[in-house]
Amino acid sequence: MSITAIIINLMALVSLLIAFIKDREKAKKSLKIAGKSFVRMFPMVLTIIFIIGLLLGFVPPSQISRFIGEQSGIGGVLLIGTLGAIMHIPALLSFPLAASLLEGGASVTAVAAFITTLTMIGIVTLPLEIKELGRKMALLRNGLSFIIAIIIALIMGAIL
């Protein structure tokens, strides 16, 4: 376990103890809500672990690097950005997948594109968005979000 994980877990434990000291009933209610959230997210977590396992098992790092590595250029960034826009998973669960991609040879720009498009664009929820906002507004919002997400990824790649 990394030192960062130990620090985060200790902070969570101390916060929980403080919550129990201040108001035991609210702390119990919070734990129940957290437990229900965990149960609701657990199938998605298993799916992501399964996808990461398949990715690392069947796709060699040389292929990851070839398609979304530094040498792939803007094409690789657009490819992984499109994949991020299509996928519908919680952003929190995308970080392990992003870390696996980085370890596999993906560029920082590509991984940033994946995470930003994942969080900013909703291809899966587009029909609902069209229904609520109208076709023009929904398509404009998603299109501009994609462009902005790619610009953010390029800036992140330049900085990091």
Side-chain angles (χ1 to χ4, degrees):
M1 186 180 287
S2 73
I3 189 73
T4 304
I6 291 170
I7 290 171
I8 290 172
N9 287 327
L10 282 175
M11 288 173 53
L13 188 61
V14 168
S15 298
L16 182 62
L17 288 174
I18 291 171
F20 265 104
I21 290 169
K22 287 190 85 170
D23 190 337
R24 184 176 294 266
E25 290 306 314
K26 281 186 178 177
K28 284 182 182 176
K29 186 178 176 183
S30 298
L31 283 176
K32 284 182 184 176
I33 292 170
K36 287 179 182 175
S37 293
F38 176 75
V39 168
R40 195 175 54 243
M41 287 181 59
F42 191 69
M44 184 66 75
V45 171
L46 284 180
T47 303
I48 296 301
I49 291 171
F50 182 73
I51 290 170
I52 291 171
L54 285 176
L55 180 72
L56 297 178
F58 291 108
V59 181
S62 62
Q63 292 299 315
I64 293 173
S65 179
R66 180 174 158 225
F67 285 109
I68 55 175
E70 293 291 339
Q71 73 275 6
S72 66
I74 192 70
V77 173
L78 293 174
L79 173 72
I80 197 74
T82 303
L83 183 65
I86 293 170
M87 288 183 74
H88 185 67
I89 59 173
L92 183 65
L93 298 179
S94 70
F95 297 133
L97 181 57
S100 298
L101 290 172
L102 271 176
E103 290 172 4
S107 69
V108 171
T109 305
V111 172
F114 174 70
I115 292 174
T116 53
T117 56
L118 181 77
T119 56
M120 294 173 65
I121 300 167
I123 297 295
V124 173
T125 58
L126 189 59
L128 177 64
E129 199 171 335
I130 288 172
K131 183 179 175 186
E132 295 297 322
L133 300 175
R135 181 181 213 58
K136 183 178 178 183
M137 179 65 184
L139 292 176
L140 188 64
R141 191 203 70 77
N142 280 285
L144 288 175
S145 293
F146 187 81
I147 292 169
I148 292 169
I150 297 301
I151 291 170
I152 290 170
L154 292 171
I155 292 170
M156 293 285 291
I159 292 172
L160 302 174

